[in-house]
């Protein structure tokens, strides 16, 4: 047997992916990745299977395809997917236009919300500052009263303290 054969973890190292990712691809796209089952039950990748893995990797990593898009691409040989990507239908164009309008409205709404939150925050800070001024004034008044009471107490002769 002169052909190359690699187990899942070996194939994953060769294409610089984790073995979990390769197993996931095998689970979802197994019919498009031609592996060979060994007598021990392991999946072995030959050169053709490695080419398929590299294609899946390129589509998912470089072109940001989802697994479903990769499956469709592989099922149609890439022809239908490319044709659909070139010219969107009228319904798709309308949906894109509607989505853009919705995004624009949401952006306007978010800007209005930010403005309202800023105003509420400013009012809240003003109320907190006013509360702090009242508290500080009250504290100063209490301290002044205590100082006056202490001075009155200290103005009495020392022998009068024993009579209390």
């Amino acid at each position: 047997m002169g052909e190359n054969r690699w187990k899942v973890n070996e194939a994953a190292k060769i294409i610089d992916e984790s073995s979990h990712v390769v197993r996931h691809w095998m689970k979802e796209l197994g019919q498009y990745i031609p592996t060979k089952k060994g007598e021990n039950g392991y999946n072995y990748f030959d050169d053709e299977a490695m080419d398929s893995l590299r294609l899946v990797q390129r589509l998912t990593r470089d072109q940001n395809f989802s697994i479903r898009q990769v499956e469709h691409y592989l099922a149609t040989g890439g022809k239908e997917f490319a044709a659909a990507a070139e010219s969107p239908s009228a319904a798709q164009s309308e949906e894109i236009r509607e989505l853009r309008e919705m995004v624009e409205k949401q952006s306007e709404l978010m800007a209005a919300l930010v403005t309202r939150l800023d105003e509420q925050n400013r009012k809240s800070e003003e109320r907190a500052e006013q509360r702090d001024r009242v508290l500080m004034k009250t504290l100063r008044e209490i301290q002044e009263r205590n100082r006056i009471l202490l001075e009155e107490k200290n103005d009495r002769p020392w022998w009068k303290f024993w009579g209390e």
Side-chain angles (χ1 to χ4, degrees), residues 1-5 36 38 44 46:
M1 185 165 163
E3 71 178 47
N4 293 322
R5 289 177 21 145
K36 309 267 193 277
Y44 287 97
D46 59 9

Side-chain angles (χ1 to χ4, degrees), residues 68-112:
R68 294 296 147 237
Q69 289 172 319
V70 172
E71 183 177 30
H72 182 76
Y73 181 91
L74 295 173
T76 62
K79 293 176 186 162
E80 283 186 36
F81 195 77
E86 288 174 10
S87 59
S89 68
Q92 289 172 329
S93 296
E94 179 63 21
E95 186 177 358
I96 289 170
R97 187 190 61 73
E98 288 173 1
L99 289 172
R100 284 186 178 144
E101 286 177 8
M102 287 174 53
V103 167
E104 187 176 321
K105 286 179 184 178
Q106 286 179 344
S107 295
E108 291 170 3
L109 177 63
M110 287 175 57

Side-chain angles (χ1 to χ4, degrees), residues 44-94:
Y44 287 97
F45 296 84
D46 59 9
D47 292 324
E48 182 184 357
M50 291 300 292
D51 289 340
S52 297
L53 282 179
R54 286 186 186 99
L55 174 62
V56 171
Q57 181 184 41
R58 190 177 78 245
L59 293 172
T60 57
R61 301 292 185 237
D62 298 341
Q63 297 181 17
N64 296 321
F65 280 24
S66 69
I67 290 294
R68 294 296 147 237
Q69 289 172 319
V70 172
E71 183 177 30
H72 182 76
Y73 181 91
L74 295 173
T76 62
K79 293 176 186 162
E80 283 186 36
F81 195 77
E86 288 174 10
S87 59
S89 68
Q92 289 172 329
S93 296
E94 179 63 21

Side-chain angles (χ1 to χ4, degrees), residues 13-60:
K13 281 183 183 178
I14 291 170
I15 64 169
D16 197 27
E17 288 288 347
S18 73
S19 56
H20 298 291
V21 169
V22 172
R23 284 188 182 94
H24 177 69
W25 291 344
M26 291 291 301
K27 178 182 170 196
E28 297 294 327
L29 307 167
Q31 68 190 49
Y32 304 107
I33 303 172
T35 58
K36 309 267 193 277
K37 276 274 194 215
E39 293 175 8
N40 55 8
Y42 290 170
N43 285 312
Y44 287 97
F45 296 84
D46 59 9
D47 292 324
E48 182 184 357
M50 291 300 292
D51 289 340
S52 297
L53 282 179
R54 286 186 186 99
L55 174 62
V56 171
Q57 181 184 41
R58 190 177 78 245
L59 293 172
T60 57

